[in-house]
Amino acid sequence: MPYYYYGFDPTYVLVLIGAVICLIASARVKSTFNKYSQYRSMSGMTGAQAAERILNSAGIYDVTVCHISGSLTDHYNPSKKTLNLSDSVYGSNSVAAIGVAAHECGHAIQHQKNYVPLSLRTAIVPVANIGSTLAWPLILIGLFFNRSTGAMLINLGILCFSFAVLFQLVTLPVEFNASHRALRILGEQGILSDSELPYTRKVLKAAALTYVASAAAAILQLLRLVLLFGGRNRDD
């Protein structure tokens, strides 16, 4: 492996860059959400109430709105058809909470309409989970075998990790589309006024950046694997 100098692996800088990007994105979404959590919506609706209204207006009556613990742990579960809203969203009537609830409703609507990127992401989940789990063990085991067998295992490990990266990339249009649907519906339904929508847009934009950061970090990690191990069968 030609990328080690005096015991230092310079490619680890890629991991550090990815970690910093993710930390910045996470801090931004938390600060933005906390800021606009102080802005009470003019309608007075809570996140749960807004979610029920949006789902019903879309003709969705088989999705259950649930209360889960935590902060910003909100998610839509397509297999159980549950829309799970966290402590900071479920009972809050802030513009931030309503925006997050509407975003999760966007996923439920995507599911109802068989939105292709969502279907693709759902199909990739098992492969991505297995890939991310097996990637490093395959690579490390490959280092102890001869050139041909080792190269095969290492390349298989890199391929496995590529599925995790693919999942991150497919997630981007799913999340952007859900936010776009949320903002449009909130305006059309009159749940938020024209003066409130810009605040909610900032919250959802900050949340979207966390997915961009995760995708960037995954790509940087994949690049590091290629730099470290991609040429092993040529250099050994």
Side-chain angles (χ1 to χ4, degrees):
M1 289 171 281
Y3 293 97
Y4 285 93
Y5 299 98
Y6 304 105
F8 173 69
D9 171 16
T11 66
Y12 196 73
V13 173
L14 297 174
V15 177
L16 294 178
I17 292 173
V20 170
I21 292 174
C22 288
L23 286 173
I24 292 173
S26 178
R28 179 173 179 181
V29 71
K30 288 178 181 178
S31 63
T32 304
F33 181 84
N34 290 337
K35 177 180 179 179
Y36 292 107
S37 288
Q38 307 304 315
Y39 290 59
R40 182 182 182 277
S41 65
M42 295 180 184
S43 67
M45 297 181 69
T46 64
Q49 291 170 337
E52 292 282 4
R53 179 168 170 177
I54 293 171
L55 292 174
N56 292 342
S57 68
I60 300 175
Y61 299 98
D62 58 348
V63 171
T64 304
V65 178
C66 303
H67 183 191
I68 59 173
S69 61
S71 177
L72 296 179
T73 51
D74 314 86
H75 64 279
Y76 169 66
N77 188 321
S79 60
K80 296 182 179 180
K81 287 199 170 184
T82 56
L83 196 148
N84 305 287
L85 302 179
S86 64
D87 294 329
S88 55
V89 171
Y90 187 90
S92 172
N93 57 12
S94 70
V95 296
I98 290 176
V100 171
H103 173 88
E104 299 307 329
C105 288
H107 289 311
I109 295 173
Q110 289 173 339
H111 189 198
Q112 177 201 42
K113 296 183 178 297
N114 294 316
Y115 181 60
V116 174
L118 178 64
S119 300
L120 180 59
R121 185 178 75 168
T122 301
I124 291 174
V125 167
V127 179
N129 288 338
I130 294 173
S132 61
T133 300
L134 293 179
W136 274 105
L138 284 171
I139 290 171
L140 293 176
I141 292 172
L143 295 175
F144 293 95
F145 283 82
N146 59 40
R147 178 184 298 180
S148 59
T149 302
M152 180 190 69
L153 290 173
I154 289 172
N155 289 334
L156 183 59
I158 293 175
L159 178 63
C160 284
F161 191 81
S162 297
F163 286 112
V165 176
L166 178 61
F167 173 80
Q168 295 289 348
L169 293 175
V170 173
T171 292
L172 295 179
V174 174
E175 297 300 329
F176 292 152
N177 179 264
S179 291
H180 176 74
R181 291 175 189 268
L183 291 168
R184 177 175 54 80
I185 293 172
L186 289 173
E188 291 176 350
Q189 294 289 322
I191 297 174
L192 292 179
S193 67
D194 291 341
S195 63
E196 293 173 313
L197 284 173
Y199 302 144
T200 301
R201 183 177 288 106
K202 290 181 180 180
V203 173
L204 296 183
K205 183 178 180 180
L209 288 178
T210 62
Y211 294 100
V212 175
S214 295
I219 291 171
L220 289 171
Q221 179 67 280
L222 177 60
L223 176 60
R224 178 175 183 253
L225 292 178
V226 172
L227 290 174
L228 282 176
F229 307 110
R232 183 176 184 265
N233 56 346
R234 297 189 302 269
D235 299 326
D236 284 1

